[in-house]
Amino acid sequence: MPHDQDVEGDTSDISSEYECLQCGKIVRAETSPGECAECGGEFQNRAKSLE
Ligand SMILES: [Zn+2]
């Protein structure tokens, strides 16, 4: 009986979705995109809100 198979499987996509807190623009990036190109607002990592 196999056990201890904690492999996550899909590790090819390491980017996360970030949403601009001001205009709602969504971008995908591996790291925080910094400020929004549209309005200069802050981005929030959407994945972190899925707790
Ligand atoms: Zn924006």
Side-chain angles (χ1 to χ4, degrees):
M1 271 182 212
H3 61 43
D4 197 29
Q5 294 195 350
D6 265 352
V7 182
E8 286 292 317
D10 185 12
T11 56
S12 60
D13 185 4
I14 61 174
S15 63
S16 301
E17 283 193 339
Y18 291 86
E19 178 177 11
C20 176
L21 297 178
Q22 289 198 47
C23 72
K25 178 180 176 65
I26 294 176
V27 300
R28 292 191 67 86
E30 296 177 10
T31 59
S32 177
E35 65 181 31
C36 179
E38 302 290 326
C39 71
E42 285 185 43
F43 279 105
Q44 180 183 51
N45 190 334
R46 301 184 78 210
K48 287 184 178 177
S49 59
L50 293 176
E51 289 187 11

